[in-house]
Amino acid sequence: MKPKIKLDKIDRRILEILQANAKITNAQLANEIGLSPAPTLERVKKLEVSGIIKSYHAMLDNEKVGLGVSTFVMVSLKGHNKVNIEAFTQAINEIDEVIECHHITGSGDFILKIIAQDIAAYQKLMLEKVTNIEVVDNMQSLVILSTFKDSKVMPIP
Amino acid sequence: MKPKIKLDKIDRRILEILQANAKITNAQLANEIGLSPAPTLERVKKLEVSGIIKSYHAMLDNEKVGLGVSTFVMVSLKGHNKVNIEAFTQAINEIDEVIECHHITGSGDFILKIIAQDIAAYQKLMLEKVTNIEVVDNMQSLVILSTFKDSKVMPIP
DNA sequence: TTATACCACAAAATATTATTTGGTGCGAAG
DNA sequence: CTTCGCACCAAATAATATTTTGTGGTATAA
């Protein structure tokens, strides 16, 4: 039962704009896409209700809020079984500093993205919370030195 | 010349809320933090002007817009020198499907996040655009099978 | 072809929300 | 002790979202 959502060119344009700038007013948005405010708003609401637009978020400057260290961590579990995976994801969910957790193909099982104040805080976090999750076999940290691209706009086909 | 921005408990609460839900009205936000609308708005504006809040973005449901495949790609360059890095990042910047590009420590030099419609489109993208960037030595793709956590809320210290 | 139901849209009225204004109290510096 | 400046509140105003109403175009079925 897929509702078969079809997006026309205008919808895609709306999505593009709102991904880049969610704070645009409806009037401005209407102007950019060449419609009047009423149908523009209708379209946006439709996109929200259908779940195509999931949510809206403020993005912060990590440095300025005192979060200077970001890392990716490759994690291998002791076994690939369902029980271990559930134990791991549950443990991960309780750690605020882990902002992403993806199950991936390849030699590692999971990749995490972790945010911390500095290297010291990162080390402490890893030692105290992450490393000693029971089902973890081994881990490899990749510290981000600099970020060249971090786009919030998906390439809508 | 660092303006030394200090955040009190209320500011941090505001940031937390706006990261989770940027569409909250100022009145609601004021209510949640226990202030009246006027000073609440003042604080938000201050956070925006100071650059602590960088931007606001709509987040889409990738599946529903027809983007079923997400991957991480580990990339090694032929040399670590500045020229190669610039050549690489510039090439990457032109590819919309590459939504993140980070320079990292460790054996690989870069980690990318790439979004595509499906495996076929992903393969095509890699073959035609990514693989033949001159300075790339080798790459390893990690396909995301499922995502267990993808938080937009940073743990503000 | 013609009738009919349905969208998508624009314009204007209304409701909601943001923003400004003026005034008060409190803490820090002189 | 006084004064300055800041953070705050309440209320007025301005901007914006949202609803309502009516129209034209288009696909569908007789």
Side-chain angles (χ1 to χ4, degrees):
Chain A
M1 200 179 107
K2 242 194 205 162
K4 263 243 176 207
I5 306 158
K6 36 187 172 183
L7 303 172
D8 64 12
K9 205 161 186 173
I10 297 178
D11 290 322
R12 277 190 285 271
R13 184 101 182 81
I14 289 175
L15 292 176
E16 218 176 287
I17 293 170
L18 291 182
Q19 281 183 98
N21 172 23
K23 269 298 170 68
I24 190 172
T25 66
N26 186 57
Q28 286 176 297
L29 179 60
N31 188 263
E32 296 232 14
I33 65 176
L35 287 183
S36 72
T40 302
L41 191 65
E42 253 180 53
R43 281 169 180 267
V44 173
K45 291 299 172 197
K46 215 172 280 181
L47 291 168
E48 288 171 358
V49 169
S50 69
I52 290 175
I53 296 175
K54 281 201 294 190
S55 47
Y56 297 91
H57 305 275
M59 165 169 307
L60 310 188
D61 184 320
N62 285 353
E63 303 280 341
K64 289 187 179 169
V65 295
L67 293 169
V69 171
S70 301
T71 69
F72 286 102
V73 180
M74 311 285 295
V75 180
S76 295
L77 300 194
K78 282 176 182 165
H80 255 193
N81 59 77
K82 202 168 174 181
V83 175
N84 279 10
I85 290 177
E86 276 209 24
F88 176 69
T89 55
Q90 197 168 330
I92 283 302
N93 253 310
E94 318 232 306
I95 307 174
D96 290 342
E97 289 88 347
V98 178
I99 60 169
E100 292 183 32
C101 172
H102 309 277
H103 193 190
I104 55 173
T105 59
S107 57
D109 297 341
F110 286 88
I111 188 167
L112 312 179
K113 191 172 190 179
I114 297 186
I115 309 284
Q117 295 179 243
D118 49 43
I119 291 290
Y122 177 70
Q123 190 174 17
K124 186 157 180 278
L125 169 71
M126 292 300 278
L127 285 173
E128 293 182 0
K129 294 196 182 170
V130 184
T131 313
N132 53 21
I133 295 174
E134 188 57 56
V135 295
V136 169
D137 186 11
N138 71 40
M139 308 196 322
Q140 183 192 358
S141 287
L142 308 168
V143 178
I144 297 177
L145 300 173
S146 59
T147 293
F148 292 98
K149 191 173 189 177
D150 191 8
S151 170
K152 304 302 169 193
V153 183
M154 304 293 133
I156 303 169
Chain B
M1 198 178 110
K2 243 197 207 162
K4 263 241 176 210
I5 305 156
K6 39 188 171 179
L7 303 173
D8 65 12
K9 205 161 185 174
I10 297 179
D11 289 322
R12 277 192 285 273
R13 184 101 182 79
I14 290 176
L15 292 175
E16 216 176 288
I17 293 170
L18 290 182
Q19 281 184 98
N21 172 23
K23 270 299 172 68
I24 190 173
T25 66
N26 187 57
Q28 286 176 297
L29 178 60
N31 187 264
E32 296 232 14
I33 65 176
L35 288 182
S36 71
T40 302
L41 190 65
E42 255 180 52
R43 280 170 180 266
V44 172
K45 291 297 172 199
K46 213 171 282 181
L47 291 168
E48 288 171 357
V49 169
S50 68
I52 290 175
I53 296 176
K54 281 201 295 190
S55 47
Y56 297 90
H57 306 275
M59 166 170 306
L60 310 188
D61 184 319
N62 283 355
E63 303 279 342
K64 288 186 179 169
V65 295
L67 293 168
V69 171
S70 300
T71 69
F72 287 102
V73 179
M74 311 285 296
V75 180
S76 295
L77 299 194
K78 283 175 181 164
H80 257 192
N81 58 77
K82 204 169 173 179
V83 175
N84 279 8
I85 289 177
E86 276 209 23
F88 178 69
T89 56
Q90 197 169 330
I92 284 302
N93 253 311
E94 318 231 306
I95 307 174
D96 290 342
E97 289 88 347
V98 178
I99 60 169
E100 292 183 33
C101 172
H102 310 278
H103 193 189
I104 56 173
T105 60
S107 60
D109 297 342
F110 287 88
I111 188 167
L112 312 179
K113 190 171 189 179
I114 299 187
I115 308 284
Q117 296 178 243
D118 47 44
I119 290 290
Y122 176 69
Q123 190 175 16
K124 185 156 181 278
L125 168 71
M126 293 299 278
L127 286 174
E128 293 182 0
K129 295 196 183 170
V130 183
T131 312
N132 53 21
I133 295 174
E134 189 57 55
V135 295
V136 168
D137 186 11
N138 71 41
M139 309 195 321
Q140 183 192 0
S141 287
L142 307 169
V143 177
I144 297 178
L145 300 172
S146 58
T147 293
F148 292 99
K149 191 172 189 178
D150 191 8
S151 171
K152 305 302 168 189
V153 183
M154 304 292 133
I156 303 169

